[in-house]
Amino acid sequence: MYKTAVYNGAQSSSYAQDVLQMIKSKYPWEKEYIQAVEEILSSVGLLFDQEPLYQDERIMERIVEPERVLMFRVPWRDDAGSIQVNTGYRIGFNSALGPYKGGLRFHSSVTLSILKFLGFEQIFKNALTGLSLGGGKGGSDFNPRGKSNVEIENFCQSFMVGLYKHLGPDTDVPAGDIGVGAREIGYLFGYYKRLKNVFEGVLTGKGLDWGGSVIRPEATGYGAVYFAEEMLKTRGEGIEGKIAAVSGFGNVAWGVVKKVSELGGKVVTLSGPDGFIYDKDGVQGEKIEYMLAMRSSGRDRVKDYAEKFQVDFYPGKRPWGIKCDIAFPSACENEMDADDAGALVDNGCACVTECANMPLTLEAIDCLLHNKILYSPGKASNAGGVACSGFEMAQNSTKVKWTREEVDQRLKQVMIEIHRNCLEAAERYGEPGNYLSGANIAGFIKVADAMLDQGNT
Ligand code: GLU
């Protein structure tokens, strides 16, 4: 279940209630999407009383309806020679701030409702980066796990046949998400180039030699650590000397581990679908290289890590019971519930930074806010990934390559700005220190005002 949000229920205007009701009666089966709308409305409802134009110009009714939704058949041939059929999707949710931008998710759980939920979140996340990025999301119910390379290539090519006519560097620029990494982006890009007869920056997360940006693989994790550092600074603290619990074992977790150890902190946990490991000496040095090798070969189990480095392995468990100063949930939706959050609070954890998309349940967030723990929502703290995608687009269109230092510096600057904007918005609208309200309000205002400027589109 995705979280429902009732944070500022009292501040929801009747306009917000009406729009929510409209969405509920129009799409009653889209429960994940309804909940995402509810979450935003619960924070931004108070704006409608202060700015009547939002209501007069029907901004909310427009924002909740995607500009376009593509749904297409993806037939592909498996290794046994049989034809398999999956469903492909691409949602162009909002282009007020720039071309549609957001990842592709290949996972058996993918439905239109889930992609609408993720795409809706993406609008505000992308707005927070301050870059010229609209919001989009796509994917398929295809699950790459256990498929051969040839099957994945066949699938990606067929997926691109369904999609290529609707993409373009100034129209819609997909990227990776769960189940879509460097390999899939390569297959998708190769086929786009062949179908369109043009080499252009139509996907991000590309290989370094063919249009990719340095730091893109690490960017989500690096950005989240920069964000955490900013949050800690508000209490006169920093990452140095801190113990961090991290979940996940993929790109995002890898970026977090690298940056935490670079800044003098120590990551003591990692997790996979098989359980979690506790490494009291810290995940550093060759262990980070090992993570990279596992990530590249698509393996996400952590038991091998435990065996290789002789550390504790807890099968089927989540890492939130381990004593830590900072937690970085970097695996998947709803991986931390209220009991987990309570355990972190009891163990003295001071800061929880969402690195995945919506890894905390509503109850977990409530628990942290109630206990005055620093908490940041993914749409703010994991925006470093899509920000770096924005940098990749800028490099592609100017045909110039930026150095590692330049990309890292810009990434850090974007995260500092997001942090400042969230705090300022939260303060201005009577929720000081509440990063969730701040992120929702700051992101919404940018999109809504651009829509007002652009008239009835
Ligand atoms: N899927 C990532 C996200 O959730 C990255 C999107 C992108 O780079 O376009 O933000």
Side-chain angles (χ1 to χ4, degrees):
M1 270 301 287
Y2 290 81
K3 67 191 183 200
T4 52
V6 286
Y7 311 100
N8 300 322
Q11 292 173 344
S12 274
S13 71
S14 63
Y15 173 49
Q17 295 300 333
D18 291 349
V19 173
L20 185 61
Q21 210 38 58
M22 184 268 287
I23 285 295
K24 281 184 175 166
S25 49
K26 198 166 171 187
Y27 303 110
W29 57 90
E30 293 186 349
K31 64 180 193 317
E32 295 87 1
Y33 178 55
I34 288 169
Q35 289 166 355
V37 173
E38 202 164 0
E39 190 222 276
I40 290 284
L41 281 172
S42 65
S43 296
V44 303
L46 77 171
L47 294 176
F48 301 140
D49 301 326
Q50 298 178 11
E51 180 48 88
L53 258 187
Y54 291 151
Q55 181 167 357
D56 294 348
E57 292 296 309
R58 297 276 174 256
I59 288 295
M60 213 51 225
E61 286 91 331
R62 286 195 266 157
I63 276 189
V64 295
E65 198 63 60
E67 288 174 14
R68 65 185 201 185
V69 176
L70 304 170
M71 207 170 146
F72 47 97
R73 181 171 67 206
V74 189
W76 56 281
R77 209 174 279 279
D78 66 19
D79 287 345
S82 304
I83 292 193
Q84 303 286 339
V85 183
N86 287 98
T87 309
Y89 305 87
R90 184 70 185 167
I91 302 172
F93 225 120
N94 194 296
S95 61
L97 298 178
Y100 306 125
K101 185 80 197 89
L104 296 172
R105 178 174 289 195
F106 292 169
H107 193 269
S108 45
S109 65
V110 162
T111 61
L112 186 56
S113 172
I114 287 188
L115 294 178
K116 279 176 76 177
F117 139 65
L118 290 165
F120 190 67
E121 285 280 301
Q122 195 85 40
I123 303 172
F124 306 105
K125 180 196 310 197
N126 293 1
L128 284 170
T129 66
L131 303 172
S132 181
L133 301 171
K137 200 87 193 184
S140 174
D141 55 355
F142 171 79
N143 191 353
R145 188 184 286 271
K147 304 287 191 303
S148 72
N149 256 332
V150 170
E151 289 176 324
I152 289 182
E153 184 177 3
N154 287 347
F155 175 81
C156 289
Q157 293 185 342
S158 182
F159 185 87
M160 194 43 98
V161 169
L163 193 57
Y164 78 99
K165 287 190 198 119
H166 310 283
L167 303 182
D170 297 316
T171 308
D172 186 355
V173 185
D177 196 85
I178 292 173
V180 179
R183 175 181 56 172
E184 290 76 16
I185 293 292
Y187 292 149
L188 291 163
F189 182 79
Y191 222 58
Y192 176 87
K193 183 164 56 87
R194 189 170 174 199
L195 290 163
K196 274 251 179 114
N197 192 29
V198 58
F199 190 113
E200 57 188 2
V202 79
L203 289 150
T204 57
K206 298 186 290 300
L208 280 187
D209 293 332
W210 43 277
S213 173
V214 283
I215 311 229
R216 178 62 190 89
E218 300 94 317
T220 308
Y222 276 22
V225 177
Y226 290 142
F227 197 94
E229 176 117 297
E230 290 305 301
M231 290 202 289
L232 290 167
K233 268 190 207 162
T234 64
R235 297 195 178 166
E237 305 267 346
I239 300 282
E240 195 175 356
K242 296 283 189 302
I243 303 289
V246 174
S247 61
F249 196 57
N251 257 354
V252 179
W254 177 66
V256 171
V257 168
K258 269 182 85 172
K259 191 50 83 179
V260 167
S261 87
E262 195 183 306
L263 295 178
K266 186 158 90 173
V267 171
V268 293
T269 67
L270 293 171
S271 74
D274 53 339
F276 83 92
I277 60 104
Y278 172 61
D279 185 344
K280 65 174 177 3
D281 297 328
V283 184
Q284 39 211 346
E286 60 159 328
K287 297 169 183 170
I288 301 180
E289 297 310 312
Y290 175 81
M291 271 184 91
L292 175 62
M294 292 295 106
R295 180 178 70 79
S296 311
S297 62
R299 284 159 66 190
D300 56 1
R301 313 217 159 231
V302 290
K303 190 162 180 257
D304 295 350
Y305 179 105
E307 279 166 9
K308 184 166 170 55
F309 298 110
Q310 297 290 298
V311 299
D312 299 336
F313 172 61
Y314 297 84
K317 294 243 166 1
R318 302 194 278 214
W320 313 125
I322 295 290
K323 190 170 169 49
C324 65
D325 303 306
I326 319 171
F328 291 99
S330 314
C332 58
E333 287 104 7
N334 293 315
E335 54 166 310
M336 188 189 289
D337 62 20
D339 290 343
D340 298 321
L344 286 168
V345 173
D346 291 345
N347 279 327
C349 176
C351 176
V352 177
T353 303
E354 285 192 348
C355 305
N357 286 321
M358 285 205 182
L360 270 68
T361 63
L362 167 68
E363 295 75 22
I365 296 172
D366 277 346
C367 169
L368 298 178
L369 294 180
H370 179 75
N371 284 286
K372 305 263 181 290
I373 305 296
L374 292 166
Y375 157 74
S376 65
K379 67 170 77 71
S381 44
N382 78 23
V386 75
C388 196
S389 279
F391 302 158
E392 186 172 327
M393 290 161 72
Q395 292 171 78
N396 290 166
S397 61
T398 53
K399 298 194 165 37
V400 168
K401 276 192 172 191
W402 300 351
T403 61
R404 266 194 101 73
E405 291 67 35
E406 192 170 358
V407 174
D408 199 17
Q409 194 44 45
R410 285 180 190 257
L411 175 63
K412 188 169 184 180
Q413 204 46 48
V414 165
M415 299 315 295
I416 291 173
E417 286 290 307
I418 296 177
H419 178 268
R420 192 174 51 79
N421 286 335
C422 290
L423 269 196
E424 279 179 12
E427 176 90 34
R428 189 161 354 111
Y429 291 96
E431 298 269 331
N434 185 330
Y435 289 90
L436 180 67
S437 296
N440 284 340
I441 293 170
F444 177 85
I445 289 177
K446 273 186 204 253
V447 179
D449 287 357
M451 290 173 75
L452 286 180
D453 289 346
Q454 292 169 25
N456 180 19
T457 57

